[in-house]
Amino acid sequence: MTSFVINTPDLIDAVRKASRIAPKRGHAFDVAAGVRFSNENGLLVVKASDLDTHFRQEMPVATLNEFEPFRVPSAVLASWVGHLPTGESSQTTVAVNLATSKVKFVSETSKAEFALILGDSFPEYDKFDPSDLEEVEGLGQHLRRVSWACHKDSVPLCGIHIDGERLIGCDTARMAEVVCKVPVDKPVTAPLTGVANALSGHMGPVGVAVRDGRLYLAPDIETQITTTLFEAPYPDIERLRAITADNVETTVDVSTLKDALARISSISARERYPLVEMQLDDTA
């Protein structure tokens, strides 16, 4: 049996982000399900991958003995850590027993035991060199602002399009775009909806680079994310923009609009394809 003690806030942060990258279904789930813990050169490393996107986060541990990498189901682990205390002094003990294929997490307030995910099919990837990354301010928040409009499955519409000046999400029926300068030599599209969820709470800059057919991201010195780039060309967004809403533009108070949409949504929540009608006039 191998055990180690980790700061609970670090565990919560890493598992929360990793669980949003970890696959939920399909071939990727069969191959790379769960959150992976490993000892890499004396560092505790948490990983998750849906085969397109690779997540890696290092966590400080006072004493870490050698142990074989192990994986824990992402959904149940994320649910459990979500109820742990977040005080800076809180700690969690992790004890893994490969002989019984079980891992136990024990905090000051609760404990849980999970069956390990067996098999060694998880993809291998290492820490990348971050020296050429350029910072993009607020990228995590900008990704969230467009990811909701991406298609669920269809390539490349399931990705977020980056043209250097804007981020765009579109499923042909909906489109969202936000101004965001990203250092790319040419427009690229990448499956970033999971990344958008993982970085939803990150308010600072994110290091970005494109090389070798992949997008490289680093929100901090401990965390690295890489994702593939789609080869299929992105649809002509300018044509879609030209036919939407008769090119009407208006400015509204964000909180007022959100409150109004929330009230309307509560009424139409049971509809399969709820529609909201908006009327614009200059009498208000």
Side-chain angles (χ1 to χ4, degrees):
M1 177 180 289
T2 298
S3 64
F4 51 85
V5 179
I6 184 172
N7 291 331
T8 302
D10 293 335
L11 177 65
I12 295 172
D13 178 64
V15 170
R16 180 189 65 82
K17 290 186 286 192
S19 66
R20 295 176 180 181
I21 300 294
K24 307 298 187 294
R25 56 188 171 86
H27 174 67
F29 181 84
D30 295 337
V31 173
V35 177
R36 185 179 189 262
F37 294 80
S38 63
N39 180 339
E40 297 185 12
N41 301 317
L43 292 172
L44 179 63
V45 176
V46 172
K47 290 183 175 181
S49 174
D50 64 4
L51 304 186
D52 287 324
T53 302
H54 300 328
F55 169 88
R56 181 185 190 276
Q57 182 166 334
E58 298 175 354
M59 292 190 293
V61 176
T63 302
L64 189 65
N65 297 322
E66 291 293 332
F67 64 86
E68 290 296 318
F70 62 91
R71 283 187 286 155
V72 184
S74 58
V76 292
L77 180 58
S79 176
W80 183 73
V81 302
H83 295 87
L84 294 180
T86 57
E88 293 184 2
S89 61
S90 299
Q91 294 187 318
T92 298
T93 299
V94 182
V96 58
N97 190 334
L98 297 180
T100 61
S101 299
K102 297 287 183 64
V103 59
K104 182 179 292 186
F105 292 79
V106 181
S107 77
E108 294 98 327
T109 59
S110 63
K111 61 183 178 180
E113 186 176 67
F114 305 104
L116 300 179
I117 297 175
L118 303 179
D120 58 358
S121 57
F122 193 87
E124 293 292 335
Y125 54 92
D126 299 318
K127 184 176 183 179
F128 63 75
D129 179 6
S131 60
D132 64 339
L133 271 58
E134 298 183 38
E135 289 190 346
V136 176
E137 195 66 40
L139 180 62
Q141 298 301 304
H142 292 326
L143 290 173
R144 284 282 290 173
R145 292 187 178 110
V146 300
S147 63
W148 63 271
C150 293
H151 197 279
K152 299 302 182 184
D153 300 297
S154 178
V155 174
L157 292 175
C158 61
I160 292 176
H161 188 61
I162 306 171
D163 66 5
E165 299 293 330
R166 302 168 299 172
L167 304 180
I168 299 170
C170 179
D171 64 0
T172 71
R174 305 173 299 177
M175 183 181 70
E177 65 176 339
V178 62
V179 175
C180 182
K181 294 185 180 298
V182 180
V184 293
D185 294 332
K186 61 181 181 179
V188 297
T189 307
L192 292 169
T193 53
V195 176
N197 291 330
L199 299 183
S200 60
H202 183 76
M203 306 300 292
V206 177
V208 179
V210 174
R211 60 174 183 262
D212 306 323
R214 295 188 70 84
L215 180 67
Y216 293 79
L217 305 168
D220 51 58
I221 61 174
E222 294 89 10
T223 308
Q224 295 187 340
I225 303 171
T226 73
T227 186
T228 189
L229 300 178
F230 291 142
E231 296 181 357
Y234 203 72
D236 183 4
I237 296 301
E238 297 301 328
R239 182 178 63 84
L240 178 61
R241 183 187 290 107
I243 63 175
T244 56
D246 296 326
N247 293 316
V248 174
E249 294 185 6
T250 188
T251 301
V252 299
D253 179 73
V254 173
S255 61
T256 302
L257 179 61
K258 288 176 65 176
D259 290 343
L261 290 175
R263 291 194 294 270
I264 293 296
S265 297
S266 66
I267 298 174
S268 60
R270 294 184 179 181
E271 297 180 20
R272 186 173 183 181
Y273 298 108
L275 297 176
V276 176
E277 179 179 322
M278 301 180 66
Q279 294 181 347
L280 304 178
D281 61 52
D282 57 3
T283 60

